[in-house]
Amino acid sequence: MCGIAGFWTTPFEEAVARPILERMTSTMLHRGPDADGIWLDGRSGIALGHRRLAIVELSALGHQPMASADDRLHLIFNGEIYNFRALRTMLEREGVQFRGGSDTEVLLALIVRDGLAQALSMCVGMFAIALWDRREKTLQLARDRFGEKPLYVARLPEGIVFGSTLAPIEQHPAFVPTISREALASLLSHGYVPAPQSIFRDVVKVVPGSILTWVETPCEPPTVTSFWSADDAAARGAIEPFAGSDVDAADALDAALRRAVSEQMLADVPLGAFLSGGIDSSLIVAMMQDLGTRPARTFTIGFDDPAFDEARHAEAVARHLGTDHTTLVLSANDALDVIPRLAGIYDEPFADQSQIPTAAVAALARRHVTVALSGDGGDELFGGYRRYAFAERAWRRLSYVPRPIRHLAGHALIAVPRHAWDAVLGVGGRRGDGISGDRLHKLATLMESKSAEHFYRDLLCSWMNPAEVIPSLDETQSTDALSHRVLPGGLLGSMMLCDQLSYLPDDVLVKVDRATMASSLESRSPFLDHRIAELTWSFNRDQWQRHGNGKHVVRAVLDRYIPRALIDRPKQGFGVPISSWLRGPLRPWAEELLSVSALEQDGLLSAPPIRRRWEQHLTGQRDWSTSLWHVLMFQAWRASRIQRVS
């Protein structure tokens, strides 16, 4: 696990470029505290930098940038190739000799033999890669199948600059950051900026499963190719469905997941796991315990608010399995300690509230281990979110009403301003989740939905109309990163694919990567082994979800390891009591960021609609914690940038 950075421009003096590259890599010290390396070729204008967190092959033989034996290829690589030992054995049979024991050296040898695309198709792992071919003057940037590892690339006047995060890119003197209003609209709507967008106008994220290739010049747009996509995996699963029974499906998943867990337990440093006590993390830990030679180290974050505390469930699972378990209880004061660091941890604005406990549990785990396995991906791959069942029921009922009638009803609801609805409904005297003008306007938008996919997209929005919050927003540019084609399996399959293409890589995996890397901890997700995803898409709908309960086949596998009574409870998620914290200990911090002067300091935001929600939240009329958190995280990020500059 590491951080990569570099640039390709017109030819440069290495004495001038070296300190630029060193500043870029120094911003990623937390991603790679164990070693650093740079390589420059001034005549070609290429510079590659690397920070290393040593996990496999701890010696200097694993350091990067790494060159091929003939010095033609130079590679920087962030991530892990879990099946590298099998690949190494295959290459050794063909006569390839290796100096060390790193997966980087195996990956480079495989690229020499087959080229980057073919090599990556054979690799099981998570990665962000930059590969320079000196002979062909070709630069290739690649990102893993689900986007576990981040990779950004920015246009410069005379080339490109890239990095694992935005921080190294901002260190290049030719880069001029300009905030994208369209990306800001996505952030306010969904809590994250979906790929390929970034918060900066001239920066894009490399899309998961793709390779960007520049040949001879960095000043022309790259060629973009795909070596894997969830969309293609879903299509193949529909064409070649799983032919066995439910028991056969559970057997197949059990074997595939055990293989993935076994491969991901390989490390030359201490290993552990995150344990929430839910289905996914409990299954991963149960398999680790079964496959390992000693008790697994497990870690849980709890809350002093019982309504949000799942620590007791995790502790019960840990006791049953016999793991070496550690729990940390998080209070509002603890959150106050974490929140000021969030803008630095997530150097692009990011607003999933569970970022707080994720950062805390990562810091806890790093005191004891260097690698931690997680259950991330289980909900998206096996239909686990409660919102899936809700959306199916709601759309089924709504679709019975002819669209022209829904259109008229929606227009009628929107024609009455929100504040007028509030007056009619007496919202000022209500508390909590009563019907309001805002809810009626959202209902109107949902009634207007052209399809089930649009309905699901709008259902997830916190700010239904970002243009009322962002002056001069160009609404002709779509900010919808959630649209996709309809699949067999109905709306459930479409929602799962939607989340695999956007919510998973741009929210869940961003949250985990930045939080763990801030503590120099590597996180691994066995569910995101692409072979498991391909198997999952071949299952039928009832094997994903049955009687409104998701992850049916996963539950069947879990029953083989843990009694159902320890797990069978309503899904709670990794939530935090932000709503009450904003009215209490976090209020002074939020008040400063949501003041009119702070909101309107540079014309990006309009204060009145935000202030209205803030005041309604404080009085208890409405719970606007989610939409306000989206604004607060942008404001905190913006404030941290101002402080850095000053």
Side-chain angles (χ1 to χ4, degrees):
M1 191 65 64
C2 311
I4 64 173
F7 51 88
W8 187 15
T9 61
T10 54
F12 51 69
E13 294 291 334
E14 293 187 12
V16 175
R18 181 176 294 274
I20 296 173
L21 187 58
E22 289 174 342
R23 288 197 302 272
M24 291 171 63
T25 57
S26 69
T27 65
M28 302 182 294
L29 176 62
H30 55 288
R31 296 187 72 92
D34 296 328
D36 67 319
I38 61 174
W39 178 82
L40 306 100
D41 181 349
R43 294 179 61 185
S44 298
I46 188 74
L48 303 176
H50 187 264
R51 294 283 333 181
R52 186 183 186 206
L53 175 63
I55 302 296
V56 175
E57 177 55 89
L58 307 185
S59 76
L61 293 175
H63 287 183
Q64 301 178 42
M66 187 176 289
S68 59
D70 61 1
D71 203 40
R72 172 183 169 182
L73 301 181
H74 286 253
L75 174 73
I76 48 177
F77 161 54
N78 166 30
E80 302 289 347
I81 305 300
Y82 300 127
N83 64 333
F84 84 94
R85 285 188 170 176
L87 295 172
R88 178 185 176 120
T89 298
M90 176 193 70
L91 291 168
E92 285 177 329
R93 288 172 181 164
E94 297 175 1
V96 178
Q97 295 182 340
F98 294 94
R99 297 179 299 111
S102 73
D103 56 346
T104 307
E105 191 176 2
V106 173
L107 173 61
L108 186 56
L110 198 62
I111 294 170
V112 169
R113 191 190 78 164
D114 296 333
L116 182 59
Q118 181 61 28
L120 294 183
S121 71
M122 300 175 65
C123 291
V124 179
M126 55 180 181
F127 44 81
I129 292 169
L131 178 72
W132 172 250
D133 186 327
R134 298 184 71 182
R135 188 178 73 189
E136 302 295 333
K137 291 198 179 327
T138 297
L139 176 68
Q140 292 181 288
L141 302 181
R143 193 175 176 204
D144 65 66
R145 295 170 177 88
F146 279 106
E148 292 183 74
K149 294 293 100 187
L151 187 54
Y152 295 78
V153 58
R155 293 193 303 270
L156 300 177
E158 296 182 325
I160 58 170
V161 58
F162 59 89
S164 291
T165 64
L166 291 175
I169 290 174
E170 292 185 77
Q171 290 299 314
H172 196 286
F175 174 70
V176 179
T178 302
I179 292 175
S180 163
R181 293 177 187 268
E182 293 70 39
L184 177 56
S186 295
L187 174 71
L188 296 186
S189 294
H190 302 294
Y192 58 88
V193 179
Q197 289 181 319
S198 84
I199 194 62
F200 294 133
R201 189 173 302 280
D202 290 328
V203 184
V204 296
K205 302 182 182 85
V206 177
V207 174
S210 69
I211 301 172
L212 276 58
T213 303
W214 290 264
V215 180
E216 294 188 350
T217 174
C219 297
E220 297 294 330
T223 300
V224 182
T225 56
S226 174
F227 64 91
W228 192 90
S229 75
D231 204 333
D232 292 341
R236 288 194 300 272
I239 295 171
E240 301 175 359
F242 186 79
S245 65
D246 284 357
V247 173
D248 295 331
D251 288 343
L253 178 59
D254 194 348
L257 195 54
R258 285 178 69 88
R259 176 180 61 181
V261 170
S262 177
E263 289 180 349
Q264 295 193 25
M265 289 176 67
L266 177 63
D268 295 334
V269 293
L271 176 91
F274 302 129
L275 178 61
S276 70
I279 293 171
D280 304 325
S281 66
S282 296
L283 180 53
I284 296 302
V285 169
M287 289 184 170
M288 289 178 66
Q289 190 76 349
D290 195 45
L291 293 166
T293 58
R294 64 187 67 178
R297 296 297 308 269
T298 54
F299 306 94
T300 297
I301 288 291
F303 297 97
D304 57 6
D305 184 338
F308 290 83
D309 185 35
E310 283 197 307
R312 65 188 186 279
H313 302 302
E315 289 165 353
V317 172
R319 282 194 300 271
H320 173 78
L321 294 174
T323 72
D324 182 358
H325 189 68
T326 303
T327 297
L328 175 66
V329 176
L330 198 66
S331 68
N333 288 332
D334 296 322
L336 283 171
D337 293 335
V338 173
I339 286 172
R341 298 191 291 112
L342 290 178
I345 292 173
Y346 298 88
D347 69 345
E348 182 174 39
F350 179 76
D352 184 326
Q353 296 173 16
S354 61
Q355 63 197 129
I356 297 172
T358 303
V361 76
L364 169 66
R366 187 60 178 93
R367 299 173 197 168
H368 307 276
V369 300
T370 311
V371 176
L373 273 61
S374 80
D376 291 314
D379 286 310
E380 294 83 2
L381 265 65
F382 295 94
Y385 289 120
R386 286 180 294 181
R387 64 180 182 246
Y388 292 156
F390 170 80
E392 283 194 301
R393 290 194 306 271
W395 176 251
R396 188 182 307 117
R397 293 169 183 170
L398 191 61
S399 62
Y400 288 146
V401 181
R403 188 160 180 265
I405 296 177
R406 288 192 277 119
H407 177 76
L408 291 174
H411 267 280
L413 289 172
I414 291 177
V416 180
R418 291 180 176 86
H419 63 84
W421 277 120
D422 288 344
V424 170
L425 296 167
V427 171
R430 295 177 181 267
R431 300 184 68 83
D433 291 329
I435 297 175
S436 67
D438 290 282
R439 284 207 163 188
L440 286 176
H441 274 215
K442 180 160 188 173
L443 174 61
T445 302
L446 294 174
M447 293 177 71
E448 290 276 349
S449 299
K450 299 177 182 178
S451 66
E453 290 68 46
H454 283 90
F455 175 84
Y456 183 61
R457 175 205 63 187
D458 292 337
L459 182 67
L460 301 182
C461 285
S462 291
W463 290 93
M464 293 297 293
N465 181 19
E468 70 174 337
V469 188
I470 306 172
S472 305
L473 176 65
D474 183 359
E475 294 187 90
T476 63
Q477 295 192 31
S478 172
T479 59
D480 178 15
L482 303 178
S483 60
H484 52 79
R485 58 185 177 81
V486 179
L487 293 171
L491 178 55
L492 176 60
S494 296
M495 291 186 292
M496 288 164 53
L497 179 59
C498 165
D499 284 342
Q500 289 177 34
L501 293 174
S502 184
Y503 179 72
L504 177 63
D506 297 320
D507 185 304
V508 175
L509 298 179
V510 168
K511 174 184 65 181
V512 173
D513 173 80
R514 306 307 193 277
T516 53
M517 283 285 88
S519 293
S520 301
L521 176 75
E522 174 171 295
S523 176
R524 298 177 175 179
S525 304
F527 276 110
L528 297 183
D529 184 313
H530 71 280
R531 298 167 296 187
I532 292 176
E534 292 168 352
L535 173 65
T536 301
W537 277 116
S538 73
F539 291 157
N540 63 55
R541 187 194 182 287
D542 282 348
Q543 289 164 337
W544 299 334
Q545 184 189 93
R546 192 167 299 183
H547 307 304
N549 295 316
K551 296 188 280 198
H552 178 78
V553 68
V554 181
R555 293 171 188 265
V557 175
L558 184 60
D559 286 342
R560 302 175 178 185
Y561 297 88
I562 299 175
R564 179 66 66 95
L566 286 179
I567 303 295
D568 201 9
R569 64 183 187 277
K571 182 177 175 63
Q572 188 167 324
F574 208 9
V576 291
I578 285 291
S579 181
S580 60
W581 286 356
L582 286 175
R583 297 187 183 106
L586 297 183
R587 179 171 177 173
W589 167 78
E591 285 277 15
E592 181 178 354
L593 293 173
L594 297 180
S595 67
V596 173
S597 60
L599 289 168
E600 297 187 340
Q601 60 184 291
D602 52 14
L604 284 171
L605 295 173
S606 174
I610 299 171
R611 292 292 307 176
R612 179 172 65 87
R613 290 197 178 191
W614 177 233
E615 290 159 7
Q616 289 180 345
H617 184 82
L618 290 177
T619 60
Q621 295 177 38
R622 302 286 295 127
D623 181 358
W624 290 122
S625 55
T626 298
S627 59
L628 288 170
W629 191 254
H630 293 181
V631 177
L632 285 165
M633 285 295 95
F634 175 70
Q635 288 290 91
W637 174 81
R638 188 160 53 159
S640 72
R641 288 176 53 77
I642 293 172
Q643 292 170 3
R644 289 201 305 268
V645 172
S646 60

